[in-house]
């Protein structure tokens, strides 16, 4: 268990909280500290963030909003770790979930919140999203965009973003943003960040709460040695391992029951 601060690079940390309320508080502390470290670096670049949908926005909201007077959200650039191929106001939209949970209550400039374009086919939407990411991150060629913070969740099958068990996108190494038209979870059409970008991040925070997560958490929050042993059999969430950044799992006691036994 850890209290607050940022995890050490190249080391997975599991932060166990009593309940969802405490979990949110812990996440807020870590996000605040990650932004403070970014600010202390003196960089002129914006704070690059990628957000997930599902239960993550609600788990993040209260803890993040507790620090809204500490964090300069005007320096945030917000992308989506994955998004359903629906309009930004659709009930299935991850962007809508993030806006309703906390983005509408902080001062991220409207132009710094990046949704997807559904006026084009999903494959083209993914390409355009990657082009926009490259422009905002000011990278090109073989250089990867580096997110300061990525917030992820995990599904009951161990998927994260829209990277599902057994899917060919698990082996994608060239595209930063990929489209998927056969998602096993509706809606079928989506875009998603891929492992090269996820594993280039400075901080990756997984949020998982509830007893329904405990069995899969045992398979996802594994040691590096266990991950190597599992190889391609590892669940998608387990394969998120920042090469030069920190990985933190924020879980509540019901979810942590399996890893504590």
């Amino acid at each position: 268990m850890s209290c607050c601060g940022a995890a050490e690079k190249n080391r997975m940390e599991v932060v166990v909280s009593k309940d969802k309320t405490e979990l949110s508080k812990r996440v807020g502390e870590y996000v605040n500290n990650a932004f403070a470290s970014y600010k202390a670096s003196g960089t002129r670049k914006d704070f690059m963030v990628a957000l997930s949908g599902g239960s993550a926005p609600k788990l993040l909201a209260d803890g993040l909003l507790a620090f809204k007077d500490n964090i300069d959200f005007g320096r945030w650039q917000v992308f989506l770790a994955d998004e359903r191929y629906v309009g930004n106001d659709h009930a299935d939209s991850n962007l809508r979930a993030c806006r309703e949970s906390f983005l509408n209550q902080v001062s991220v400039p409207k132009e710094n919140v990046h949704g997807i374009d559904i006026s084009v086919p999903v494959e083209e939407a993914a390409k355009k999203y990657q082009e926009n990411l490259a422009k905002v991150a000011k990278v090109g060629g073989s250089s990867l965009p580096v997110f300061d913070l990525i917030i992820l969740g995990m599904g009951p099958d161990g998927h994260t973003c829209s990277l599902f068990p057994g899917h060919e996108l698990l082996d994608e190494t060239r595209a930063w943003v990929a489209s998927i038209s056969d998602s096993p979870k509706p809606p079928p059409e989506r875009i998603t960040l891929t492992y090269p970008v996820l594993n280039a991040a400075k901080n990756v925070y997984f949020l998982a709460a509830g007893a329904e997560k405990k069995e899969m958490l045992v398979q996802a929050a594994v040691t590096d040695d266990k991950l190597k042993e599992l190889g391609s059999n590892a669940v998608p969430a387990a394969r998120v391992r920042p090469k030069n950044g920190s990985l933190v799992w924020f879980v509540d006691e019901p979810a942590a029951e399996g890893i504590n036994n």
Side-chain angles (χ1 to χ4, degrees):
M1 182 183 299
S2 178
C3 174
C4 56
E8 294 178 11
K9 291 183 178 180
N10 302 314
R11 183 174 69 86
M12 182 181 69
E13 181 179 358
V14 179
V15 178
V16 181
S17 299
K18 180 180 179 181
D19 52 28
K20 293 179 181 179
T21 299
E22 184 178 306
L23 185 157
S24 185
K25 179 181 178 182
R26 293 287 180 256
V27 179
E29 291 170 350
Y30 272 69
V31 173
N32 181 58
N33 287 340
F35 184 80
S37 295
Y38 150 85
K39 189 175 180 180
S41 73
T43 181
R44 294 185 179 181
K45 293 183 178 180
D46 287 334
F47 189 69
M48 297 285 293
V49 180
L51 301 173
S52 294
S55 61
K58 290 184 178 180
L59 287 174
L60 172 63
D62 288 345
L64 180 64
L65 292 174
F67 290 96
K68 68 178 182 179
D69 294 331
N70 296 47
I71 297 173
D72 180 3
F73 288 99
R75 298 190 68 176
W76 280 37
Q77 293 282 352
V78 177
F79 286 82
L80 297 164
D82 75 313
E83 178 60 296
R84 288 82 179 267
Y85 184 65
V86 296
N88 293 335
D89 293 325
H90 192 281
D92 289 334
S93 168
N94 287 340
L95 180 55
R96 175 178 172 175
C98 291
R99 281 176 168 161
E100 291 180 347
S101 294
F102 58 87
L103 283 179
N104 287 343
Q105 300 178 60
V106 297
S107 55
V108 179
K110 183 178 179 180
E111 62 272 18
N112 289 11
V113 178
H114 305 276
I116 68 170
D117 181 358
I118 62 167
S119 69
V120 296
V122 66
E123 297 85 356
E124 185 63 24
K127 291 178 181 178
K128 291 183 70 174
Y129 207 66
Q130 177 168 312
E131 291 170 357
N132 187 37
L133 174 55
K135 180 181 178 181
V136 173
K138 298 180 173 63
V139 295
S142 60
S143 299
L144 284 167
V146 177
F147 279 95
D148 294 283
L149 174 64
I150 299 180
I151 302 288
L152 299 177
M154 177 182 65
D157 58 354
H159 84 267
T160 191
C161 299
S162 285
L163 300 170
F164 293 92
H167 198 278
E168 61 184 10
L169 284 186
L170 298 180
D171 298 318
E172 177 60 56
T173 59
R174 298 185 64 183
W176 306 340
V177 182
S179 64
I180 176 171
S181 299
D182 57 351
S183 167
K185 180 181 178 181
E189 293 186 310
R190 302 155 175 250
I191 69 160
T192 183
L193 296 183
T194 59
Y195 285 122
V197 175
L198 297 176
N199 289 333
K202 293 181 180 179
N203 298 282
V204 177
Y205 299 164
F206 273 96
L207 315 185
E212 66 274 14
K213 302 286 186 179
K214 67 180 181 181
E215 291 185 9
M216 194 52 61
L217 185 61
V218 174
Q219 299 182 53
V222 296
T223 64
D224 289 341
D225 287 342
K226 182 63 175 179
L227 182 62
K228 291 178 182 178
E229 178 186 327
L230 289 168
S232 61
N233 292 320
V235 298
R239 296 172 62 176
V240 178
R241 299 285 159 134
K243 294 180 179 179
N244 296 298
S246 66
L247 172 64
V248 187
W249 281 86
F250 294 90
V251 301
D252 63 359
E253 289 182 355
E257 184 179 332
I259 59 175
N260 286 337
N261 290 336

